[in-house]
Amino acid sequence: MAQVYFIGAGPGDPELLTIKGKRIIERADVIIYADSLVNPEVCAFARDGVEIHRSASLSLEEITGIIEKAVKRGKVVARLQSGDPAIYGAIQEQMTILDEAGIEYEVVPGVSSLFAAAAALKTELTVPEISQTVIITRLEGRTPVPASESLKSLAAHRASMAIFLSTSLVESVAAELLEGGYPPKTPAAVVYKASWEDEAVVLTELKSLAERVKTLGIKKQALILVGDFLASKGKSAPSRLYAKEYRHEFRPSG
Ligand code: SAH
C-alpha cells in the first residue's frame, strides 16, 4: 500500500479539499505543503503533533529527501500541492525521484484554481457556439515555453484561454494576445486568490486588461482568463444536452 500521497489541496478554500484528500491528511504522520499557495488551514485537519514542512523554501531534493526518510521510518506522507497537481504542479520531477528510489505513491486530484476562477466568474468555459476549447497556458518565465506554443500563436484560435503564472507580465500577455488575433474588445478577466476570503475579480476588455491589473497592483496568485465565453451569458445557444427534443441514454423519452 502506498504511504506517500500527492494531494491536490485545491485553490484555497479548505472546504474545496476532496474528502479523500482530507481523510489522508487526517491520518498522515508527515505533511509537506506548498505554503506559497496552499491554505495552511488544510493542515488543521491533521492530528496533533504531526511533522509539518513548508515546501516553498525547499529544493526538490530536500522535499524528496523528507519523503524518503519518512517512508523508511514507516510513516504516511501527505504532500499537498495547490489546485490540481497535474497543472504546473512540478509533480513530475518529484515522482521521477521516488520512482528511482522504488517508493510507491498515489496521486489524489484536486480542484484547480482554473475551476475556482470560473466559479467566481459564474461562467462556463465551454459555451456552445462560442468556444468548445480551453487552452491552459502560461507566458515563459524561468520555465521555458516551447516556441510552437507562443501566446501569439495560440491566440489565433480565439478559444477560451486560461493563463497561469503570468499576471506580473500582464502587459506582454495582452500584447501577444492582441497581436495573435483576439480583437481588442474581447472580454478578459483576472481572478485574484480564487476561493479565498480576499478573492477579487476584474472583468474588462483585453485592451484595458494590463492597465486595470497594474492599477490594482495584482502580481501573483491570479489567473488571467480571456475569451468570448466571459460575455456570453444569454447570448449563447443552449447546450444540446438539456434540449427537450434531444434524447439520450439518461433521458430516453425526452
Ligand atoms: N496546480 C495549480 C497551479 C499551480 S501554478 C492549480 O491547479 O491551480 C501557480 C499559479 O496558479 C499561480 O501563478 C496562479 O496563476 C494560479 N493560482 C493558484 N492558485 C490560485 C488562486 N487561488 N486564484 C487564482 N490563481 C491561482
Side-chain angles (χ1 to χ4, degrees):
M1 202 176 77
Q3 291 186 148
V4 178
Y5 298 88
F6 288 94
I7 299 171
D13 179 351
E15 293 200 346
L16 292 178
L17 192 64
T18 62
I19 293 169
K20 187 161 192 163
K22 177 171 173 272
R23 285 206 179 122
I24 296 165
I25 294 171
E26 282 166 351
R27 65 184 180 86
D29 303 302
V30 177
I31 293 176
I32 309 170
Y33 80 101
D35 50 316
S36 52
L37 287 167
V38 172
N39 191 333
E41 281 180 33
V42 299
C43 297
F45 298 125
R47 289 179 289 116
D48 285 342
V50 300
E51 195 180 311
I52 297 182
H53 300 267
R54 300 165 179 218
S55 65
S57 57
L58 300 177
S59 67
L60 171 63
E61 290 72 23
E62 283 170 331
I63 294 169
T64 52
I66 292 169
I67 298 176
E68 284 181 48
K69 255 209 268 164
V71 170
K72 276 197 195 120
R73 288 183 287 144
K75 306 289 184 192
V76 173
V77 182
R79 166 73 176 118
L80 310 185
Q81 309 231 162
S82 76
D84 185 280
I87 309 278
Y88 305 114
I91 188 176
Q92 189 77 39
E93 56 257 47
Q94 300 176 62
M95 294 190 294
T96 302
I97 293 176
L98 297 189
D99 286 340
E100 282 163 4
I103 294 172
E104 281 183 41
Y105 49 81
E106 226 179 276
V107 182
V108 179
V111 177
S112 174
S113 60
L114 168 55
F115 303 122
L121 288 157
K122 298 195 172 68
T123 189
E124 176 170 349
L125 297 162
T126 51
V127 186
E129 290 173 31
I130 303 259
S131 172
Q132 291 290 286
T133 304
V134 184
I135 296 176
I136 293 174
T137 190
R138 62 169 297 172
L139 208 61
E140 184 161 309
R142 265 168 301 176
T143 307
V145 172
S148 59
E149 296 174 10
S150 73
L151 264 192
K152 194 176 149 191
S153 65
L154 298 175
H157 298 285
R158 288 170 63 174
S160 306
M161 203 186 279
I163 306 160
F164 283 72
L165 293 157
S166 306
T167 317
S168 63
L169 307 166
V170 64
E171 275 159 340
S172 314
V173 170
E176 282 208 39
L177 294 177
L178 288 166
E179 245 182 273
Y182 282 102
K185 280 186 165 302
T186 305
V190 166
V191 182
Y192 169 73
K193 291 187 90 174
S195 88
W196 290 73
E197 273 174 18
D198 49 349
E199 168 187 285
V201 173
V202 179
L203 185 55
T204 180
E205 290 174 344
L206 188 51
K207 63 173 165 34
S208 319
L209 181 71
E211 199 193 307
R212 290 287 302 278
V213 171
K214 291 260 162 193
T215 311
L216 291 165
I218 301 173
K219 290 202 177 111
K220 42 183 206 174
Q221 283 181 277
L223 259 177
I224 300 172
L225 296 159
V226 179
D228 287 331
F229 71 99
L230 286 166
S232 60
K233 274 206 192 113
K235 283 192 212 155
S236 67
S239 156
R240 299 301 299 152
L241 187 60
Y242 296 111
K244 267 195 212 132
E245 68 283 8
Y246 182 66
R247 286 165 182 43
H248 57 75
E249 198 187 347
F250 299 107
R251 194 150 42 82
S253 56

